Amino acid sequence: MGMTLTQGGNAPIQATRLQVRIGWQPSLPPGMELDVSAFLLAESGKVSSDADMVFYNQKQSPDGAVILETTAGPDNQTTVFAVDLARLGQDIHKVAFTVTVDAGEQRGQSLGQLQQLQARLVDALTGAEQLEFAFPIQGAREVAMTLIEIYRRQGQWKMRAVAQGYAGGLAPLARSYGVDVDESSATPPVAPSPTRSPTPPPVAPPAQSPAKVNLSKVTLEKKGESVSLEKKETGYGQIRINLNWSKANTISRGFFGRATKGIDLDLGCFVELTNGFKTVIQALGNRFGTLEEEPFMQLSGDDRTGENSDGENLLINGNKWSRIKRVLVYAFIYEGAPNWNATDGVVTVHVQNEPPLEVRLTDGRNDRAMCAIAVLENVQGGIKVTKLAEYFRGQSDMDRQYGWGFQWSAGSKD
């Protein structure tokens, strides 16, 4: 059995020829049909042409790198794609695999009628399973989802567990990836035709909206972008802030070929309570915190390798949110030369019964080992999450920038 990923996690792919197997549990309810598609995407996140969509009406990409081999049916709950990474052109940076309910909105059906969606990457030559992602979907209202992505990062192919839902069906999902959809078709886009009208502007998926949403994931793309969650009289339960990154490509070798340590990326936060109490939660200095007493948050473990598929987690007692004023979430490189691009890091905020909120650690300054990721603020009892994405040389510089007023001294995790 291969490595199991959690939502937002990623891992390197160790084979070139793959089978991508997309399935679900349990069997489909009567009258429900699921379609699985693959989109070959350029650096822009869009297809270069409509031929770069592989689905039931177009079962092979032009280069033959992605082939729809097996389509799920009444007696088969798994769709299988053959993927040859060596045949993908240099202009292809990502392959996204999606699941949609055929005519789901018209029929009143959704992916939430299932219990689980799952993706498995299998070495096509040996049959050995490499990576697995199983996503609990029960109760979701969406009819379309990007389940996983295979993407190129600094010459290394990786898989990311995405689970990003969309309110619309296959047609709006395809448009969001730049496919020109024939409006005369019910839901699926048509095969390429030289006589089609010019491509209409892509319809952005609702996940881009900063307002309260009912999707499976919201990505904060720009600095200063915010999402607000309304106050809950019963409390928020446990809030989990997850940091996940990849150690792959962060190990370097010296002049004599000796391996040096990879990056140790740590999660931490500044917290201020409504009574004025302030503190720091981080592995450095063994300041792990506590959930039931002030400051009502706790760092769960310290992953020093990046190889733990669940990464690091900061837990917040959401039932005590009324006593929390603000939380500044950050990550810092404790060991290893700063190289934010190589970490491929992502921070995801999980709140019960709300879509996960994602912030990616991209475009970092490699002369600065500290990143202020996001701030969570108590606004009239609700939670406002704002992306910061600012980089600093250390905690004290970040403290001065945001006016926390701590006194700093050298510390250690040992």
Side-chain angles (χ1 to χ4, degrees):
M1 184 175 177
M3 177 187 291
T4 300
L5 298 181
T6 57
Q7 186 178 8
N10 64 81
I13 298 171
Q14 304 298 337
T16 300
R17 295 180 61 186
L18 306 166
Q19 277 193 337
V20 178
R21 302 177 180 178
I22 308 292
W24 41 85
Q25 297 290 338
S27 300
L28 297 180
M32 177 182 283
E33 297 179 26
L34 294 189
D35 299 316
V36 184
S37 308
F39 297 85
L40 285 68
L41 306 174
E43 190 172 10
S44 64
K46 308 289 185 181
V47 296
S48 298
S49 74
D50 294 345
D52 285 337
M53 178 182 178
V54 179
F55 67 117
Y56 51 82
N57 274 346
Q58 189 167 274
K59 295 187 177 182
Q60 181 171 318
S61 62
D63 54 11
V66 180
I67 301 172
L68 177 57
E69 288 190 327
T70 304
T71 302
D75 301 319
N76 172 31
Q77 296 171 232
T78 303
T79 292
V80 180
F81 290 85
V83 178
D84 189 345
L85 298 177
R87 300 184 69 173
L88 285 170
Q90 289 299 311
D91 59 326
I92 302 299
H93 290 254
K94 182 188 301 181
V95 182
F97 293 85
T98 68
V99 182
T100 53
V101 181
D102 181 45
E105 292 182 329
Q106 295 93 321
R107 297 171 180 170
Q109 299 171 339
S110 72
L111 292 171
Q113 293 175 259
L114 306 174
Q115 294 179 359
Q116 187 181 87
L117 288 173
Q118 57 199 27
R120 292 184 294 147
L121 260 61
V122 176
D123 187 326
L125 297 181
T126 67
E129 183 173 303
Q130 294 232 319
L131 300 168
E132 181 183 27
F133 172 52
F135 182 71
I137 192 70
Q138 190 171 28
R141 297 186 294 271
E142 293 76 38
V143 298
M145 173 173 287
T146 298
L147 186 60
I148 64 167
E149 295 172 345
I150 292 175
Y151 65 106
R152 197 196 307 263
R153 187 76 169 184
Q154 296 182 336
Q156 167 75 60
W157 284 100
K158 299 181 179 181
M159 170 181 152
R160 175 177 287 124
V162 180
Q164 179 175 353
Y166 298 90
L170 182 57
L173 176 62
R175 290 192 195 100
S176 75
Y177 283 127
V179 176
D180 185 4
V181 178
D182 184 355
E183 295 294 336
S184 65
S185 61
T187 54
V190 296
S193 166
T195 61
R196 282 176 303 167
S197 59
T199 303
V203 177
Q208 302 300 317
S209 171
K212 185 179 179 181
V213 295
N214 64 348
L215 304 180
S216 295
K217 185 168 68 173
V218 176
T219 300
L220 299 181
E221 299 284 358
K222 300 178 181 179
K223 294 180 182 180
E225 188 175 358
S226 298
V227 170
S228 295
L229 306 180
E230 294 180 355
K231 178 180 178 180
K232 294 186 178 180
E233 298 299 334
T234 58
Y236 289 98
Q238 186 179 94
I239 300 170
R240 180 169 65 93
I241 302 175
N242 173 259
L243 168 65
N244 216 306
W245 80 97
S246 174
K247 187 182 179 183
N249 300 325
T250 67
I251 296 179
S252 59
R253 295 186 179 272
F255 183 77
F256 295 102
R258 183 176 299 171
T260 59
K261 281 188 176 181
I263 291 174
D264 178 11
L265 191 62
D266 279 3
L267 180 67
C269 74
F270 298 165
V271 55
E272 181 180 5
L273 302 184
T274 54
N275 63 8
F277 174 76
K278 297 179 183 179
T279 192
V280 177
I281 304 294
Q282 61 182 27
L284 187 64
N286 296 315
R287 304 177 65 92
F288 288 91
T290 179
L291 280 174
E292 297 304 321
E293 299 177 354
E294 294 184 355
F296 309 119
M297 57 192 68
Q298 186 174 48
L299 186 62
S300 177
D302 175 24
D303 178 16
R304 298 198 180 189
T305 66
E307 294 176 340
N308 181 354
S309 65
D310 197 36
E312 293 191 4
N313 293 282
L314 175 67
L315 306 178
I316 300 176
N317 186 342
N319 294 329
K320 301 290 186 180
W321 183 251
S322 62
R323 299 179 62 179
I324 299 172
K325 181 178 180 180
R326 57 174 177 159
V327 182
L328 190 156
V329 181
Y330 58 83
F332 63 98
I333 298 174
Y334 178 72
E335 286 184 335
N339 188 346
W340 291 98
N341 288 333
T343 66
D344 197 17
V346 58
V347 170
T348 308
V349 181
H350 298 271
V351 181
Q352 293 181 10
N353 301 316
E354 295 288 348
L357 310 177
E358 179 184 271
V359 177
R360 298 195 175 278
L361 307 184
T362 57
D363 302 323
R365 292 187 54 169
N366 288 340
D367 63 337
R368 300 187 178 185
M370 175 74 58
C371 177
I373 299 167
V375 61
L376 284 70
E377 299 172 279
N378 186 330
V379 179
Q380 297 180 342
I383 301 176
K384 180 181 179 181
V385 184
T386 303
K387 179 175 180 176
L388 300 177
E390 295 286 351
Y391 293 82
F392 303 90
R393 291 185 174 86
Q395 283 99 329
S396 59
D397 290 347
M398 184 172 64
D399 183 333
R400 284 191 294 270
Q401 173 71 23
Y402 298 109
W404 283 76
F406 291 114
Q407 298 296 318
W408 294 94
S409 60
S412 171
K413 294 195 288 184
D414 300 317

